[in-house]
Amino acid sequence: MQHYSGFGLIKHSLSHHENWQRAWRNPTPKKKYDVIVIGGGGHGLATAYYLAKEFGVTNVAVIEKGYLGGGNTARNTTIVRSNYLWDEAAHLYEHAMKLWEGLSQDLNYNVMFSQRGVLNLGHTLQDMRDIQRRVNANRLNGIDGEVLDAKQVQELVPHMDCSANTRYPVLGASWQPRAGVARHDAVAWGYARGADAHGVDLIQQTAVTDLIIEDGACVGVKTDRYGEIRADRVGSVVAGNSSVIAAMGGFELPLESHPLQALVSEPIKPILDTVVMSNHVHGYVSQSDKGDLVIGAGIDGYNGYGQRGSFPTIEHTLQAIVELFPIFSRVRMNRQWGGVVDTCPDACPILSETPVKNLFFNCGWGTGGFKATPGSGHVFAASLAKGEMHPLAKPFSMFRFHNGALVDEHGAAGVAH
Amino acid sequence: MLHIYCPHCCEYREEEEFHVKGQAHLARPLDPEACSDKEWGEYLYFRKNPRGLHHELWVHAAGCRKFFNVTRDTVSYEIKEVYLIGEKPSVVAASVSAK
Ligand SMILES: Cc1cc2nc3c(=O)[nH]c(=O)nc-3n(C[C@H](O)[C@H](O)[C@H](O)COP(=O)(O)OP(=O)(O)OC[C@H]3O[C@@H](n4cnc5c(N)ncnc54)[C@H](O)[C@@H]3O)c2cc1C
Ligand SMILES: [Zn+2]
């Protein structure tokens, strides 16, 4: 793998940047792998990367039906934070946060991780009590967090309307300074390049159409382009399409796939240097390095695999944003899109063994899995390498919906992010 | 924006007047106490979530507030039929869908 550096940039400028090595190969799959990962989004690619780099399993293929990162990874609004309420979730997301903090160096790829802080606003007395409770829980888990009052919020975000004149006045917020945003495509590409360099085969434009199951164990997959490809273990990391793969294995998951939309404005001058989220008026906004306002909110209520939703949903989102930032009312929106998110009843992911032996699922991240990409990939890789779930993943078994040990994160995950 | 025909109001109305309530035809176990944890958990949480034809329950929340069923394609979002509670859908996925 060609090492990226400032010096390399200068060197390649001498040949007009025409001689860069391709970031990854485009191989024809082998007949058999140790591990097949279905889905080349951020989580699948991170899984493959850590399998090869940390756990010594290099005979790995990632099978992606479209292009790498073209699913939710490239459609999300890139908020990264770890201020979840319950220990199980807090440990998992904080594991990811620690990996984020060294990720660009580890991958030798600039993922533009920017720890600009995230505010979760409170607009009611109950919001503020929940915020106090969550921040206290975070701090007990060693996760940074502060409770701010309206005046402190106003100092951080001078353009937001923190006056008492609004319909839902800002009473305060939780503030996680280490939280922030990252460049989503770069995360997928950085992991892809790293995985490829460690020998992982990235198979694009190839859909898994069925699972090969012999004696109750998964022994490979069928694909539309290369027929059967065998493997000792198969990990499904397909987000919104997880129920489709589960149906191939003959079981159901506690998931529903919903459209989740987002939109960006025309680029404007720097006006917002942190991330503002509000569960109560239901919207969130940050500003990208290019200058666009990046805006999102909640899912469309109906199930949908169409990667688009209904207009009223984004209309409500913008109402919330304009309520918070009247100054944005005449900014024009440039692009709008949707992804398919796999929502789980307790707003926590599924990292799990399944009723089929040697078949593992990583899904259910719903509206907020981008932030977990490195941690999710790391613990899932450990689980696939060993054939047994990593301790951080154990609480997120799909069978918690049988025994009732749910991890209810609806409070911390209230607005889609 | 979906335009949904309410079979009670006998009119097409805009999506915003309705709420979707998830998979249709979920029967509550007659004797919950007799269920195993697995059976009860599956009733509460596990769902079909098909990519394609789906039968779902809707309520005309800002209208007559009555419930009804819809068969809808979850990829094109096209509504194939609307039918009353207690009725069976007439548009169903090819029977191979189980595997
Ligand atoms: C609008 C929007 C905003 C969001 N905002 C945030 C946010 O601010 N912060 C945050 O943390 N999270 C956010 N999320 C959630 C986040 O995007 C996801 O949780 C995360 O990206 C999931 O990553 P993944 O790799 O699991 O899935 P994906 O990136 O969706 O990858 C799954 C891949 O599997 C492939 N696939 C599917 N079926 C098959 C098949 N049969 N064969 C082969 N390949 C298949 C797909 O093509 C896809 O590339 C947002 C999501 C959306 C849609
Ligand atoms: Zn009606």
Side-chain angles (χ1 to χ4, degrees), chain B residues 6-11 13 17-18 60-61 63-66 68:
Chain B
C6 174
H8 304 291
C9 299
C10 301
E11 252 183 63
R13 309 290 297 179
E17 289 188 13
F18 299 86
H60 194 180
C64 63
R65 300 165 78 184
K66 289 182 186 157
F68 56 94

Side-chain angles (χ1 to χ4, degrees), chain A residues 27-95:
Chain A
T28 310
K30 299 180 220 165
K31 288 266 161 282
K32 159 109 208 296
Y33 290 92
D34 292 349
V35 175
I36 286 177
V37 175
I38 311 173
H43 289 227
L45 294 166
T47 302
Y49 172 75
Y50 292 115
L51 263 172
K53 185 183 170 238
E54 303 254 323
F55 304 103
V57 186
T58 53
N59 187 23
V60 175
V62 177
I63 301 181
E64 164 57 49
K65 74 172 172 186
Y67 56 91
L68 300 177
N72 291 342
T73 298
R75 293 162 192 271
N76 83 90
T77 47
T78 79
I79 299 171
V80 174
R81 58 189 179 85
S82 61
N83 52 355
Y84 281 72
L85 176 67
W86 298 104
D87 293 353
E88 296 85 350
H91 293 157
L92 184 61
Y93 288 101
E94 180 61 15
H95 180 55

